[in-house]
Amino acid sequence: DDEFEAVFTAREKPRMENDTIVFAMAMLKNTQVRLATSYALAQSTKLSIFEERITKHTAIAMELPRMLAEDGTITYSRTEISKLIGRVFLENCAVNLLSTVLDTPEFFWEAPDSLQTLYDAVCSYLDVEQRIQVLNARFEVLHSMLDMLRDHQNNEHSSHLEWIVIVLIVVEIGIGVVEIAGLAGLFGHGEQA
């Protein structure tokens, strides 16, 4: 959503301020400086996509505690909650394991230190590190909340199974009482001819 302006000045160091990327005119043809800046902008853009996706998952997940608070029950099935947990886990893996959002690009391994400094400055301006921390904090909250909801549903399922077992025990006791009464002659002997 952010728009940046590139300005070329007579003799300034490359920097970024007030949504303006400032380059010295001498660097107009220096592709490495523009590449260093572009890497930081690209990582910020990729991070924005992850932020948008986790915001959608958060909105869905926030419905679950609201349902529990208002109705005392969740209308989502165990499978639906498990799928949501899986989607959140996939997003977390995409950010922290599979993506290059957290990595400094290989380009900087052999590039002059000044390019790494420029890259770091642009990343700092775009709050990349802080945004990653906020995103991971959201993942932690979502995982905790979804784990709690899954535990709630597992407890409900366990309670349901316990009631089934209790009913089966009562039926078994009833059948046992009828069998004992039959063996004791309490049923069926009075009507024989």
Side-chain angles (χ1 to χ4, degrees):
D1 296 310
D2 290 331
E3 291 186 22
F4 300 100
E5 183 178 352
V7 174
F8 293 90
T9 62
R11 294 180 166 216
E12 293 192 45
K13 284 185 175 180
R15 68 184 192 294
M16 189 165 187
E17 61 184 33
N18 299 326
D19 292 344
T20 301
I21 305 167
V22 179
F23 296 105
M25 276 301 235
M27 296 187 175
L28 184 60
K29 293 184 180 181
N30 187 336
T31 56
Q32 288 187 328
V33 170
R34 291 185 301 199
L35 185 60
T37 307
S38 296
Y39 272 125
L41 292 171
Q43 283 185 315
S44 177
T45 301
K46 188 184 290 188
L47 185 57
S48 294
I49 292 168
F50 287 124
E51 289 168 330
E52 216 173 278
R53 290 184 352 200
I54 199 62
T55 299
K56 289 178 185 175
H57 291 305
T58 302
I60 293 168
M62 289 306 297
E63 287 295 310
L64 300 173
R66 185 195 55 75
M67 279 186 226
L68 192 58
E70 289 177 2
D71 305 330
T73 181
I74 299 169
T75 59
Y76 283 36
S77 69
R78 290 174 58 190
T79 302
E80 290 171 317
I81 288 180
S82 293
K83 285 180 180 180
L84 183 57
I85 290 169
R87 286 193 298 269
V88 169
F89 184 72
L90 285 173
E91 291 295 336
N92 195 350
C93 287
V95 170
N96 291 297
L97 299 176
L98 306 175
S99 112
T100 56
V101 171
L102 304 175
D103 302 331
T104 300
E106 289 181 26
F107 165 77
F108 296 105
W109 293 357
E110 296 179 17
D113 289 343
S114 61
L115 293 176
Q116 172 81 39
T117 303
L118 174 62
Y119 166 80
D120 289 341
V122 174
C123 282
S124 176
Y125 178 82
L126 297 170
D127 295 325
V128 170
E129 194 65 36
Q130 292 86 354
R131 289 167 54 205
I132 290 170
Q133 289 174 359
V134 167
L135 194 60
N136 281 323
R138 286 183 181 172
F139 281 129
E140 286 179 30
V141 169
L142 278 173
H143 281 296
S144 296
M145 181 177 57
L146 291 172
D147 284 345
M148 179 213 46
L149 291 171
R150 182 178 51 200
D151 289 346
H152 173 75
Q153 281 198 324
N154 286 340
N155 289 339
E156 282 185 348
H157 183 69
S158 294
S159 178
H160 181 70
L161 291 177
E162 287 171 4
W163 276 107
I164 290 173
V165 169
I166 290 169
V167 167
L168 289 174
I169 290 172
V170 168
V171 168
E172 181 68 25
I173 291 171
I175 290 172
V177 166
V178 169
E179 284 180 356
I180 291 172
L183 289 174
L186 298 175
F187 295 117
H189 293 297
E191 295 189 17
Q192 288 182 357

